[in-house]
Amino acid sequence: MESKVATQEKTTFREVYVFDMEILQNIFIQNMREKAEDKMLFGVPFLLSEKSNVINAFASLILDENNEIGFKIYDAGSLTNSDKAKFNAYIQNFLTKKRSGNFNNVAQLKQSTEHFIHYLNF
């Protein structure tokens, strides 16, 4: 009798590192094709999702339309609904623990985003 081995791909979450930026830019551009001129929407990436060692989404700190700090998830297209829910829960938990400036100070986040976009040289 043959046995089949089922391998389940595990999704992991981690903080963003500088060497991730090229992949994150590509995911952002893929999500923003029609509005790619608004680079401020890229924000400051802080967490990402990986499946089988491939980055499939990231979360970025942004200022919303009310000038309040929020986050947006940019998906490479392979994030399942279950993975989205898990990533969102992970982000919410992560944000409750962060007390540094970008997570709590609107002016600092705006300045950090401007510097970051300039650094990336979109």
Side-chain angles (χ1 to χ4, degrees), residues 23-41:
I23 295 166
L24 302 187
Q25 279 182 291
N26 291 337
I27 293 171
F28 173 76
I29 290 167
Q30 176 184 336
N31 277 265
M32 303 301 293
R33 287 183 188 179
E34 64 279 349
K35 294 182 87 178
E37 71 279 355
D38 194 355
K39 306 302 183 212
M40 288 298 287
L41 290 175

PDB file of all heavy atoms in Angstrom, residues 23-41:
ATOM      1  N   ILE A  23      12.315  43.345  -2.916  1.00  0.00           N
ATOM      2  CA  ILE A  23      11.124  42.487  -3.043  1.00  0.00           C
ATOM      3  C   ILE A  23       9.882  43.255  -2.611  1.00  0.00           C
ATOM      4  O   ILE A  23       8.845  43.190  -3.268  1.00  0.00           O
ATOM      5  CB  ILE A  23      11.295  41.201  -2.212  1.00  0.00           C
ATOM      6  CG1 ILE A  23      12.438  40.367  -2.782  1.00  0.00           C
ATOM      7  CG2 ILE A  23      10.000  40.380  -2.192  1.00  0.00           C
ATOM      8  CD1 ILE A  23      12.922  39.255  -1.884  1.00  0.00           C
ATOM      9  N   LEU A  24       9.982  44.011  -1.521  1.00  0.00           N
ATOM     10  CA  LEU A  24       8.830  44.775  -1.040  1.00  0.00           C
ATOM     11  C   LEU A  24       8.425  45.852  -2.038  1.00  0.00           C
ATOM     12  O   LEU A  24       7.231  46.079  -2.259  1.00  0.00           O
ATOM     13  CB  LEU A  24       9.122  45.386   0.327  1.00  0.00           C
ATOM     14  CG  LEU A  24       9.490  44.392   1.440  1.00  0.00           C
ATOM     15  CD1 LEU A  24       9.580  45.103   2.777  1.00  0.00           C
ATOM     16  CD2 LEU A  24       8.532  43.226   1.511  1.00  0.00           C
ATOM     17  N   GLN A  25       9.392  46.513  -2.658  1.00  0.00           N
ATOM     18  CA  GLN A  25       9.083  47.505  -3.694  1.00  0.00           C
ATOM     19  C   GLN A  25       8.316  46.848  -4.844  1.00  0.00           C
ATOM     20  O   GLN A  25       7.350  47.408  -5.349  1.00  0.00           O
ATOM     21  CB  GLN A  25      10.360  48.138  -4.244  1.00  0.00           C
ATOM     22  CG  GLN A  25      10.922  49.240  -3.389  1.00  0.00           C
ATOM     23  CD  GLN A  25      12.157  49.839  -4.026  1.00  0.00           C
ATOM     24  OE1 GLN A  25      13.192  49.186  -4.093  1.00  0.00           O
ATOM     25  NE2 GLN A  25      12.051  51.064  -4.486  1.00  0.00           N
ATOM     26  N   ASN A  26       8.751  45.670  -5.249  1.00  0.00           N
ATOM     27  CA  ASN A  26       8.075  44.961  -6.339  1.00  0.00           C
ATOM     28  C   ASN A  26       6.641  44.610  -5.975  1.00  0.00           C
ATOM     29  O   ASN A  26       5.734  44.740  -6.802  1.00  0.00           O
ATOM     30  CB  ASN A  26       8.849  43.702  -6.726  1.00  0.00           C
ATOM     31  CG  ASN A  26      10.165  44.017  -7.393  1.00  0.00           C
ATOM     32  OD1 ASN A  26      10.356  45.091  -7.957  1.00  0.00           O
ATOM     33  ND2 ASN A  26      11.105  43.087  -7.326  1.00  0.00           N
ATOM     34  N   ILE A  27       6.415  44.165  -4.751  1.00  0.00           N
ATOM     35  CA  ILE A  27       5.051  43.847  -4.303  1.00  0.00           C
ATOM     36  C   ILE A  27       4.213  45.121  -4.282  1.00  0.00           C
ATOM     37  O   ILE A  27       3.064  45.126  -4.731  1.00  0.00           O
ATOM     38  CB  ILE A  27       5.069  43.164  -2.917  1.00  0.00           C
ATOM     39  CG1 ILE A  27       5.712  41.779  -3.012  1.00  0.00           C
ATOM     40  CG2 ILE A  27       3.641  43.058  -2.357  1.00  0.00           C
ATOM     41  CD1 ILE A  27       5.961  41.115  -1.668  1.00  0.00           C
ATOM     42  N   PHE A  28       4.779  46.217  -3.773  1.00  0.00           N
ATOM     43  CA  PHE A  28       4.064  47.497  -3.729  1.00  0.00           C
ATOM     44  C   PHE A  28       3.667  47.939  -5.136  1.00  0.00           C
ATOM     45  O   PHE A  28       2.513  48.279  -5.388  1.00  0.00           O
ATOM     46  CB  PHE A  28       4.933  48.565  -3.056  1.00  0.00           C
ATOM     47  CG  PHE A  28       4.343  49.940  -3.130  1.00  0.00           C
ATOM     48  CD1 PHE A  28       3.288  50.292  -2.305  1.00  0.00           C
ATOM     49  CD2 PHE A  28       4.835  50.884  -4.014  1.00  0.00           C
ATOM     50  CE1 PHE A  28       2.735  51.564  -2.370  1.00  0.00           C
ATOM     51  CE2 PHE A  28       4.295  52.152  -4.089  1.00  0.00           C
ATOM     52  CZ  PHE A  28       3.236  52.495  -3.259  1.00  0.00           C
ATOM     53  N   ILE A  29       4.608  47.920  -6.059  1.00  0.00           N
ATOM     54  CA  ILE A  29       4.341  48.362  -7.424  1.00  0.00           C
ATOM     55  C   ILE A  29       3.281  47.480  -8.075  1.00  0.00           C
ATOM     56  O   ILE A  29       2.391  47.959  -8.766  1.00  0.00           O
ATOM     57  CB  ILE A  29       5.645  48.401  -8.249  1.00  0.00           C
ATOM     58  CG1 ILE A  29       6.524  49.551  -7.733  1.00  0.00           C
ATOM     59  CG2 ILE A  29       5.362  48.538  -9.740  1.00  0.00           C
ATOM     60  CD1 ILE A  29       7.950  49.525  -8.240  1.00  0.00           C
ATOM     61  N   GLN A  30       3.340  46.182  -7.802  1.00  0.00           N
ATOM     62  CA  GLN A  30       2.333  45.241  -8.322  1.00  0.00           C
ATOM     63  C   GLN A  30       0.939  45.608  -7.801  1.00  0.00           C
ATOM     64  O   GLN A  30      -0.034  45.522  -8.532  1.00  0.00           O
ATOM     65  CB  GLN A  30       2.705  43.824  -7.878  1.00  0.00           C
ATOM     66  CG  GLN A  30       1.726  42.761  -8.245  1.00  0.00           C
ATOM     67  CD  GLN A  30       2.142  41.407  -7.662  1.00  0.00           C
ATOM     68  OE1 GLN A  30       3.294  41.160  -7.375  1.00  0.00           O
ATOM     69  NE2 GLN A  30       1.181  40.534  -7.498  1.00  0.00           N
ATOM     70  N   ASN A  31       0.844  46.038  -6.543  1.00  0.00           N
ATOM     71  CA  ASN A  31      -0.437  46.403  -5.943  1.00  0.00           C
ATOM     72  C   ASN A  31      -0.928  47.779  -6.381  1.00  0.00           C
ATOM     73  O   ASN A  31      -2.112  48.052  -6.323  1.00  0.00           O
ATOM     74  CB  ASN A  31      -0.322  46.395  -4.419  1.00  0.00           C
ATOM     75  CG  ASN A  31      -0.476  45.020  -3.828  1.00  0.00           C
ATOM     76  OD1 ASN A  31      -1.552  44.631  -3.423  1.00  0.00           O
ATOM     77  ND2 ASN A  31       0.605  44.274  -3.803  1.00  0.00           N
ATOM     78  N   MET A  32      -0.006  48.652  -6.770  1.00  0.00           N
ATOM     79  CA  MET A  32      -0.359  50.044  -7.027  1.00  0.00           C
ATOM     80  C   MET A  32      -0.180  50.440  -8.485  1.00  0.00           C
ATOM     81  O   MET A  32       0.137  51.570  -8.780  1.00  0.00           O
ATOM     82  CB  MET A  32       0.505  50.960  -6.142  1.00  0.00           C
ATOM     83  CG  MET A  32       0.395  50.693  -4.666  1.00  0.00           C
ATOM     84  SD  MET A  32      -1.288  50.851  -4.040  1.00  0.00           S
ATOM     85  CE  MET A  32      -1.541  52.594  -4.253  1.00  0.00           C
ATOM     86  N   ARG A  33      -0.387  49.554  -9.402  1.00  0.00           N
ATOM     87  CA  ARG A  33      -0.127  49.838 -10.820  1.00  0.00           C
ATOM     88  C   ARG A  33      -0.784  51.132 -11.280  1.00  0.00           C
ATOM     89  O   ARG A  33      -0.166  51.948 -11.927  1.00  0.00           O
ATOM     90  CB  ARG A  33      -0.601  48.689 -11.689  1.00  0.00           C
ATOM     91  CG  ARG A  33       0.303  47.502 -11.549  1.00  0.00           C
ATOM     92  CD  ARG A  33      -0.102  46.390 -12.437  1.00  0.00           C
ATOM     93  NE  ARG A  33       0.725  45.246 -12.055  1.00  0.00           N
ATOM     94  CZ  ARG A  33       0.649  44.080 -12.584  1.00  0.00           C
ATOM     95  NH1 ARG A  33      -0.209  43.859 -13.530  1.00  0.00           N
ATOM     96  NH2 ARG A  33       1.419  43.112 -12.173  1.00  0.00           N
ATOM     97  N   GLU A  34      -2.053  51.324 -10.934  1.00  0.00           N
ATOM     98  CA  GLU A  34      -2.744  52.508 -11.417  1.00  0.00           C
ATOM     99  C   GLU A  34      -2.452  53.751 -10.581  1.00  0.00           C
ATOM    100  O   GLU A  34      -2.728  54.848 -10.984  1.00  0.00           O
ATOM    101  CB  GLU A  34      -4.259  52.273 -11.509  1.00  0.00           C
ATOM    102  CG  GLU A  34      -4.952  52.014 -10.176  1.00  0.00           C
ATOM    103  CD  GLU A  34      -4.820  50.573  -9.697  1.00  0.00           C
ATOM    104  OE1 GLU A  34      -4.375  49.719 -10.471  1.00  0.00           O
ATOM    105  OE2 GLU A  34      -5.166  50.309  -8.541  1.00  0.00           O
ATOM    106  N   LYS A  35      -1.885  53.589  -9.364  1.00  0.00           N
ATOM    107  CA  LYS A  35      -1.602  54.737  -8.514  1.00  0.00           C
ATOM    108  C   LYS A  35      -0.145  54.756  -8.072  1.00  0.00           C
ATOM    109  O   LYS A  35       0.180  55.215  -6.996  1.00  0.00           O
ATOM    110  CB  LYS A  35      -2.514  54.711  -7.278  1.00  0.00           C
ATOM    111  CG  LYS A  35      -3.984  54.888  -7.585  1.00  0.00           C
ATOM    112  CD  LYS A  35      -4.786  54.888  -6.329  1.00  0.00           C
ATOM    113  CE  LYS A  35      -4.838  56.296  -5.795  1.00  0.00           C
ATOM    114  NZ  LYS A  35      -5.637  56.407  -4.582  1.00  0.00           N
ATOM    115  N   ALA A  36       0.741  54.258  -8.900  1.00  0.00           N
ATOM    116  CA  ALA A  36       2.154  54.140  -8.524  1.00  0.00           C
ATOM    117  C   ALA A  36       2.810  55.491  -8.262  1.00  0.00           C
ATOM    118  O   ALA A  36       3.858  55.549  -7.649  1.00  0.00           O
ATOM    119  CB  ALA A  36       2.925  53.384  -9.590  1.00  0.00           C
ATOM    120  N   GLU A  37       2.185  56.596  -8.688  1.00  0.00           N
ATOM    121  CA  GLU A  37       2.797  57.893  -8.450  1.00  0.00           C
ATOM    122  C   GLU A  37       2.706  58.311  -6.977  1.00  0.00           C
ATOM    123  O   GLU A  37       3.439  59.181  -6.540  1.00  0.00           O
ATOM    124  CB  GLU A  37       2.172  58.972  -9.354  1.00  0.00           C
ATOM    125  CG  GLU A  37       0.749  59.373  -9.005  1.00  0.00           C
ATOM    126  CD  GLU A  37      -0.322  58.404  -9.533  1.00  0.00           C
ATOM    127  OE1 GLU A  37       0.022  57.458 -10.254  1.00  0.00           O
ATOM    128  OE2 GLU A  37      -1.497  58.602  -9.202  1.00  0.00           O
ATOM    129  N   ASP A  38       1.827  57.729  -6.202  1.00  0.00           N
ATOM    130  CA  ASP A  38       1.686  58.090  -4.796  1.00  0.00           C
ATOM    131  C   ASP A  38       2.591  57.218  -3.934  1.00  0.00           C
ATOM    132  O   ASP A  38       2.162  56.278  -3.294  1.00  0.00           O
ATOM    133  CB  ASP A  38       0.236  57.969  -4.349  1.00  0.00           C
ATOM    134  CG  ASP A  38      -0.019  58.652  -3.017  1.00  0.00           C
ATOM    135  OD1 ASP A  38       0.960  59.147  -2.394  1.00  0.00           O
ATOM    136  OD2 ASP A  38      -1.174  58.697  -2.588  1.00  0.00           O
ATOM    137  N   LYS A  39       3.861  57.549  -3.902  1.00  0.00           N
ATOM    138  CA  LYS A  39       4.863  56.749  -3.193  1.00  0.00           C
ATOM    139  C   LYS A  39       4.686  56.785  -1.683  1.00  0.00           C
ATOM    140  O   LYS A  39       5.137  55.889  -0.987  1.00  0.00           O
ATOM    141  CB  LYS A  39       6.276  57.228  -3.535  1.00  0.00           C
ATOM    142  CG  LYS A  39       6.571  57.280  -5.011  1.00  0.00           C
ATOM    143  CD  LYS A  39       6.402  55.961  -5.684  1.00  0.00           C
ATOM    144  CE  LYS A  39       6.795  56.079  -7.142  1.00  0.00           C
ATOM    145  NZ  LYS A  39       6.102  55.249  -8.026  1.00  0.00           N
ATOM    146  N   MET A  40       4.039  57.840  -1.148  1.00  0.00           N
ATOM    147  CA  MET A  40       3.844  57.928   0.304  1.00  0.00           C
ATOM    148  C   MET A  40       3.024  56.745   0.824  1.00  0.00           C
ATOM    149  O   MET A  40       3.107  56.404   1.989  1.00  0.00           O
ATOM    150  CB  MET A  40       3.181  59.249   0.697  1.00  0.00           C
ATOM    151  CG  MET A  40       4.098  60.450   0.569  1.00  0.00           C
ATOM    152  SD  MET A  40       5.543  60.379   1.648  1.00  0.00           S
ATOM    153  CE  MET A  40       4.800  60.702   3.223  1.00  0.00           C
ATOM    154  N   LEU A  41       2.250  56.122  -0.055  1.00  0.00           N
ATOM    155  CA  LEU A  41       1.466  54.964   0.361  1.00  0.00           C
ATOM    156  C   LEU A  41       2.342  53.772   0.707  1.00  0.00           C
ATOM    157  O   LEU A  41       1.896  52.841   1.362  1.00  0.00           O
ATOM    158  CB  LEU A  41       0.463  54.568  -0.733  1.00  0.00           C
ATOM    159  CG  LEU A  41      -0.683  55.531  -0.960  1.00  0.00           C
ATOM    160  CD1 LEU A  41      -1.521  55.088  -2.142  1.00  0.00           C
ATOM    161  CD2 LEU A  41      -1.542  55.669   0.286  1.00  0.00           C
TER     162      LEU A  41
END
